[in-house]
Amino acid sequence: MTDESWAGWYRDRQGSDAVILTTDGQQLRLRTRGIDFEGKSFDGLTPVAGTPPADGLFALVDGALGDCVLEWDLPLPVLWDESVHQATLSCLLSLRRPDPYLYLELQFGGAAYRSHRAESDFASALATIQRALPPGARLQTCIACAFSDYFPSPGRGLSGGLACFRGAKDAYRGAAGEGDVLDLWDRRTGFVQEIWSCREYESRPDRGAGTGHRGAFPLEPA
């Protein structure tokens, strides 16, 4: 996977600062106020080993960035009328305790498609946007891909816990249900960000074989 960098803003009680978010689809990296943070989830960004101490510059909760707001834009492909169109996804993530929340807005085709104001994770927020898109339009991201799934257990994290089965495509195409995914779990390629997209993307089936444990996308009923 090739790294992508997204420009944005970091805000806390001390003010606002420009940031650069970089990801390879798995590991996230953020640099602000001269300090580098990294992690697999947006709510698990911790100072990179060997960086200067961040005492007084940030509010760290269990060692991770907290009590702050992150805003950034990223390019996001949308499949429509058998063509790939480029859209822009604007992300606002509040990590303020005790009620963190996420809000997404997709600019596509001259219109804005929004998630709910206080989503709990990227999977839910992207599902809300998918339901609002014109008929036939599909987000081309890992959460909508034919080869991604979550571990069969209650709940999921904010981001980064989505397993990719691109290394076991034929086997996953037959997966339908919790047991099938558990049988394939050790064959996963790794974990990816829900908002990532790679060249091996295929649209997820609407029902039956290939919908794995989590089912079709969008994930939850409206």
Side-chain angles (χ1 to χ4, degrees):
M1 294 183 178
T2 303
D3 287 1
E4 285 189 10
S5 293
W6 308 321
W9 291 92
Y10 170 89
R11 310 180 193 278
D12 62 12
R13 289 182 173 86
Q14 297 191 51
S16 301
D17 293 89
V19 298
I20 297 295
L21 272 162
T22 302
T23 181
D24 60 0
Q26 299 175 317
Q27 188 81 351
L28 298 162
R29 194 175 182 101
L30 178 148
R31 181 173 178 81
T32 185
R33 296 178 186 167
I35 303 295
D36 291 312
F37 295 83
E38 64 181 2
K40 297 186 180 302
S41 178
F42 286 96
D43 57 354
L45 295 169
T46 59
V48 173
T51 59
D55 295 346
L57 286 177
F58 305 96
L60 300 182
V61 179
D62 296 328
L65 276 180
D67 197 24
C68 64
V69 175
L70 292 172
E71 297 181 65
W72 72 99
D73 293 341
L74 65 131
L76 191 147
V78 177
L79 292 172
W80 196 30
D81 291 339
E82 299 183 357
S83 298
V84 177
H85 303 260
Q86 285 302 319
T88 298
L89 185 68
S90 297
C91 308
L92 188 154
L93 173 61
S94 171
L95 295 174
R96 299 192 187 280
R97 306 304 173 98
D99 298 310
Y101 67 85
L102 172 70
Y103 171 68
L104 303 179
E105 180 176 300
L106 183 74
Q107 298 289 334
F108 169 62
Y113 302 92
R114 303 175 178 90
S115 73
H116 299 306
R117 284 284 173 181
E119 300 275 14
S120 60
D121 57 64
F122 278 85
S124 297
L126 291 167
T128 301
I129 288 176
Q130 177 62 64
R131 293 188 200 100
L133 288 175
R138 301 283 293 180
L139 300 175
Q140 188 176 310
T141 64
C142 287
I143 192 61
C145 181
F147 309 118
S148 62
D149 214 328
Y150 290 105
F151 184 77
S153 64
R156 58 177 175 260
L158 173 68
S159 67
L162 184 64
C164 172
F165 292 91
R166 67 182 183 275
K169 292 179 182 178
D170 290 341
Y172 189 83
R173 284 190 177 101
E178 177 179 320
D180 288 349
V181 173
L182 286 174
D183 289 342
L184 286 172
W185 193 250
D186 289 342
R187 297 179 64 185
R188 67 190 183 278
T189 304
F191 293 95
V192 291
Q193 296 295 325
E194 287 80 354
I195 53 178
W196 187 254
S197 180
C198 84
R199 296 178 181 178
E200 298 185 59
Y201 169 90
E202 290 184 19
S203 295
R204 195 168 185 82
D206 291 330
R207 62 184 64 85
T211 55
H213 160 65
R214 66 183 178 95
F217 181 80
L219 304 178
E220 300 85 7

